[in-house]
Amino acid sequence: MCIIIYSKTGKIKDSQIKNSLKHNPHGWGFMTARKGILEITKGIDYEKFWPVWKRRSSGPVVFHARIASHGKVNVEDCHPFLIPNHGQLAVVHNGIIPQFTF
């Protein structure tokens, strides 16, 4: 299953993230908010994660580490998914949601 971590303060231990990425190596993503707009960052490459993670905006964050139970191993299938609504709503999930479209 995928791993989802929410932190109200934006602080997540590096060891928790490393463990998540080790056991769920098929992509990563996280979302933060800046001036009321969600910012979503995703990737596949573990080495590229850390510099991006360190530059994220402060405040609450939702982190997702993916294991591909369905779909391809690519950035498009990494979470979070922005719901088209002016940047106000995004989703991460565990498992498969059948017939899910945006």
Side-chain angles (χ1 to χ4, degrees):
M1 287 222 168
C2 296
I3 296 172
I4 301 165
I5 303 172
Y6 165 72
S7 172
K8 184 177 181 178
T9 65
K11 297 179 194 252
I12 302 172
K13 291 181 182 178
D14 284 354
S15 61
Q16 291 175 308
I17 293 175
K18 286 179 184 177
N19 190 47
S20 298
L21 295 171
K22 176 182 175 185
H23 294 286
N24 292 59
H26 301 142
W28 51 265
F30 60 88
M31 63 180 150
T32 58
R34 186 186 311 259
K35 297 181 182 179
I37 303 295
L38 285 175
E39 293 183 345
I40 294 176
T41 307
K42 306 182 204 189
I44 299 289
D45 188 344
Y46 174 82
E47 297 300 323
K48 292 181 181 177
F49 171 80
W50 291 105
V52 174
W53 177 251
K54 298 297 180 187
R55 289 191 312 264
R56 76 190 184 282
S57 18
S58 60
V61 64
V62 176
F63 166 81
H64 184 275
R66 181 171 186 252
I67 191 159
S69 58
H70 193 74
K72 297 178 182 178
V73 176
N74 57 31
V75 173
E76 292 78 23
D77 283 346
C78 291
H79 308 198
F81 298 110
L82 185 64
I83 306 296
N85 65 351
H86 310 290
Q88 298 294 319
L89 182 65
V91 65
V92 295
H93 65 87
N94 248 323
I96 299 166
I97 299 175
Q99 300 178 10
F100 186 80
T101 58
F102 293 108

